[in-house]
Amino acid sequence: RMLINVNLLLFNFCVHGRFPFVIYLQVFNAKTAELLSHHQVEIQQKFPKEGWVEQDPKEILKSVHECVERTCEKLQQLNIDITNIKAIGVSNQRETTVVWDKTTGEPLYNAIVNKSLYGLLTKTSVPEGFLWLDLRTQSTVERLLKRIPGKNKSFFKFRTGLPLSTYFSAVKLRWLLDNVEEIRQAVDDGRAMFGTIDSWLIWSLTGGKNGGVHCTDVTNASRTMLFNIHSLEWDPELCQFFDIPVEILPKVRSSSEIYGLMKSGALTGVPISGCLGDQSAALVGQMCFQDGQAKNTYGTGCFLLCNTGQKGSVAIAGAVVRWLRDNLGIVKTAQEVEKLAAEAGTSYGCYFVPAFSGLYAPYWEPSARGIICGLTQFTNKKHIAFAALEAVCFQTREILDAMNKDCGIPLNQLQVDGGMTNNKVLMQLQSDILCIPVVKPSMPETTALGAAMAAGAAEGVGIWSLNPGDLTAVTCERFEPQINPEESEFRYARWKKAVMKSMGWETSEAPSNGKTEMNAGQVLLISQLA
């Protein structure tokens, strides 16, 4: 028995200088969690203006169909009967926003992406620099903030768990309603449907305009800023504040139930029964089912989740390594950063705050910009490489401290996944800075595995037990703290001092020459020469 998983993930930096999006489909054995086969298709990102990042929803859907057909062909080549495929799970990059016409099945605008990175791109695409997320909605956020008492960006946090930010779907949807006439007209006519990528895929795969199921799950709904995390329903007052009609929103369902059946292709009739946002799927894939267990995914950014539902996002993680490579040119490959850092063994008092497009959790400060401080005449590229890796660990420590404060359950170890976990220097640094063990499972595809587990555990499918006693043991690599807590606290305090210096650099006001004072790709170097 097998589970097939359609998984949407950001891809690693490619040789052409782009950060493509990838549709990744994987097949797991439901008894052993073994990965049996996979296929992936690259999706191009669009940059129509500086600071805008989009994807074509139709291209995403077409690529999903292609992944399904090619994977089924591979299974047949392995003499595996595809009728053994019992369920489909969907995991997706959260917050990316799509609006489509339910009568035609056509998207009304490109998907506005929640996060992306580019560096040193060609002149025909976008200017050089770094961008973490689509920034077109900053003015929308500023306008909405004026309507909140005291301009408190955390005013709705009790309801949503989120601060007002360009990051979340409600703000992107508000921008679309304000700026795209086709969407406004479709809303007025009762033809518009909104969703994140999971909603678009499930609706399309279960029939589309011919009876497709318009739904999402609680993990994706919780990232829209329209979802009440206490009632687990769309919040009428939040919808009123953003002036978004509830009628266009998908029905919120659990993360593990049968939503509908595939209506075409090689898997016609197979139920789609699992749906989670990518980071929540990784939490399941890491089998963090006990109170206080947490995982951290080290990719372009870092995403730390605890099973209490608390969540934090670090905007820049793997991106800082790419910045050292592509913008500063101090390394030729990302792997060289680990080697340089290992040779240095210390940052020599240098601290790097990679706030390329502001600070995210726990600060949520868009005015911050990147700084490197504590430089002396002895500082070299090895120390900067070490400081870059240390920055990833310090940001994770900040999120973990906030989680521990909120949930009251101290973490006794951190489970990790993502591409950067191959960097052993980073993993050891993380253990040192957190003063707890860091555990890396041998199964790297925890996001896809989590969605497959949810699909297999759904009522009516029932071929994957989530009972901890029934789960297959996973071999792990373990990193233990190697410095004393006093040294860790000293270094962390210096990092916090550097963070304070990074704030307040960017404003939305243009100077008299009409040029912006500092763009998202610039970094201020504060040099304290001895």
Side-chain angles (χ1 to χ4, degrees):
R1 295 182 298 178
M2 294 163 290
L3 298 178
I4 192 163
N5 177 63
V6 178
N7 189 26
L8 307 181
L9 294 175
L10 281 172
F11 194 42
N12 290 331
F13 183 89
C14 77
V15 296
H16 301 296
R18 297 180 183 273
F19 291 84
F21 190 75
V22 169
I23 308 299
Y24 208 108
L25 191 147
Q26 298 156 311
V27 182
F28 294 96
N29 185 306
K31 289 185 177 180
T32 65
E34 176 190 1
L35 177 62
L36 299 178
S37 185
H38 65 87
H39 189 77
Q40 69 181 47
V41 177
E42 178 182 312
I43 300 294
Q44 288 301 317
Q45 305 205 70
K46 302 175 184 296
F47 305 94
K49 293 184 181 181
E50 183 175 359
W52 292 27
V53 191
E54 299 175 358
Q55 292 161 350
D56 181 353
K58 293 179 69 175
E59 184 184 1
I60 292 174
L61 179 60
K62 179 182 176 183
S63 298
V64 168
H65 284 297
E66 180 180 342
C67 276
V68 168
E69 300 305 315
R70 298 292 85 76
T71 303
C72 288
E73 290 173 4
K74 290 179 180 180
L75 290 173
Q76 290 170 337
Q77 291 169 5
L78 295 170
N79 295 319
I80 297 175
D81 186 353
I82 63 172
T83 62
N84 287 329
I85 295 172
K86 301 302 181 184
I88 297 170
V90 178
S91 64
N92 59 288
Q93 183 184 16
R94 306 160 301 168
E95 297 98 7
T96 296
T97 299
V98 188
V99 180
W100 65 94
D101 188 322
K102 65 183 180 183
T103 63
T104 65
E106 293 292 314
L108 295 167
Y109 194 81
N110 280 333
I112 299 181
V113 178
N114 76 320
K115 55 183 180 282
S116 178
L117 270 169
Y118 61 78
L120 300 176
L121 300 183
T122 63
K123 293 180 180 179
T124 58
S125 52
V126 288
E128 293 184 4
F130 267 81
L131 175 65
W132 171 242
L133 47 73
D134 189 289
L135 297 176
R136 77 185 75 188
T137 56
Q138 186 59 51
S139 60
T140 304
V141 168
E142 292 170 0
R143 175 169 53 83
L144 291 169
L145 201 56
K146 292 177 182 178
R147 297 171 48 199
I148 296 176
K151 295 184 178 180
N152 179 9
K153 61 188 175 185
S154 297
F155 185 74
F156 297 119
K157 200 168 184 180
F158 175 76
R159 291 172 184 261
T160 68
L162 306 172
L164 183 62
S165 168
T166 59
Y167 196 89
F168 305 112
S169 305
V171 177
K172 297 178 175 65
L173 181 53
R174 182 65 260 159
W175 185 93
L176 288 168
L177 291 167
D178 289 338
N179 293 277
V180 182
E181 175 60 31
E182 292 88 345
I183 290 179
R184 283 199 301 271
Q185 189 62 55
V187 170
D188 291 342
D189 296 343
R191 295 181 286 109
M193 283 183 166
F194 154 80
T196 43
I197 292 295
D198 58 303
S199 298
W200 164 245
L201 286 180
I202 293 173
W203 182 83
S204 300
L205 295 174
T206 57
K209 63 182 180 179
N210 298 313
V213 179
H214 187 210
C215 69
T216 189
D217 86 304
V218 290
T219 67
N220 282 292
S222 71
R223 303 294 283 180
T224 61
M225 282 207 79
L226 300 173
F227 185 70
N228 189 307
I229 58 175
H230 305 287
S231 67
L232 301 184
E233 297 174 340
W234 299 121
D235 191 298
E237 293 185 23
L238 290 170
C239 291
Q240 183 179 12
F241 174 79
F242 287 102
D243 194 18
I244 291 172
V246 179
E247 296 75 24
I248 73 172
L249 305 180
K251 182 178 180 180
V252 181
R253 309 272 289 268
S254 74
S255 300
S256 180
E257 63 176 279
I258 295 176
Y259 313 112
L261 306 180
M262 287 283 286
K263 295 298 184 183
S264 64
L267 299 182
T268 298
V270 176
I272 300 175
S273 54
C275 177
L276 298 103
D278 51 4
Q279 302 308 323
S280 298
L283 190 70
V284 175
Q286 288 271 23
M287 303 179 192
C288 294
F289 296 127
Q290 298 180 14
D291 290 352
Q293 286 187 313
K295 71 88 197 174
N296 198 28
T297 298
Y298 297 76
T300 304
C302 276
F303 297 90
L304 178 59
L305 274 72
C306 177
N307 75 339
T308 62
Q310 304 295 325
K311 185 183 303 182
S313 303
V314 171
I316 304 297
V320 71
V321 172
R322 298 179 188 120
W323 185 82
L324 295 177
R325 179 188 65 189
D326 301 321
N327 287 41
L328 288 193
I330 67 173
V331 293
K332 292 182 180 179
T333 67
Q335 290 71 29
E336 285 183 47
V337 173
E338 179 179 8
K339 182 174 181 292
L340 288 177
E343 290 174 356
T346 175
S347 68
Y348 201 79
C350 171
Y351 289 83
F352 189 165
V353 183
F356 296 132
S357 57
L359 290 167
Y360 289 80
Y363 300 102
W364 298 102
E365 182 51 67
S367 70
R369 286 297 179 267
I371 66 169
I372 301 175
C373 56
L375 301 176
T376 75
Q377 66 264 43
F378 299 108
T379 304
N380 60 41
K381 65 181 182 179
K382 296 179 182 179
H383 301 126
I384 293 176
F386 191 96
L389 296 184
E390 214 174 25
V392 175
C393 301
F394 285 134
Q395 290 176 97
T396 299
R397 165 77 184 268
E398 289 184 311
I399 298 295
L400 188 59
D401 283 355
M403 280 188 177
N404 286 339
K405 181 179 178 181
D406 288 345
C407 70
I409 307 174
L411 194 66
N412 55 21
Q413 70 176 30
L414 180 65
Q415 294 170 232
V416 299
D417 57 69
M420 287 190 78
T421 60
N422 293 323
N423 187 321
K424 294 183 183 297
V425 173
L426 175 68
M427 294 295 96
Q428 186 57 57
L429 272 174
Q430 188 67 87
S431 179
D432 291 344
I433 289 168
L434 296 180
C435 301
I436 59 174
V438 167
V439 179
K440 176 189 173 185
S442 58
M443 160 58 78
E445 304 297 343
T446 55
T447 299
L449 178 61
M453 290 168 67
E459 183 176 354
V461 179
I463 60 172
W464 202 314
S465 171
L466 299 186
N467 186 320
D470 297 334
L471 296 172
T472 304
V474 177
T475 57
C476 299
E477 185 175 5
R478 189 177 180 92
F479 298 84
E480 299 280 352
Q482 294 183 355
I483 65 174
N484 61 56
E486 291 76 19
E487 181 182 348
S488 176
E489 291 300 321
F490 174 78
R491 285 156 62 176
Y492 184 48
R494 294 290 294 270
W495 157 263
K496 300 281 278 188
K497 184 177 180 181
V499 169
M500 293 300 107
K501 293 182 181 295
S502 75
M503 295 186 183
W505 286 103
E506 180 67 15
T507 67
S508 59
E509 299 176 358
S512 57
N513 63 5
K515 297 182 178 179
T516 55
E517 184 177 336
M518 185 181 297
N519 64 42
Q522 292 175 308
V523 174
L524 181 67
L525 303 182
I526 299 180
S527 179
Q528 189 80 25
L529 295 178

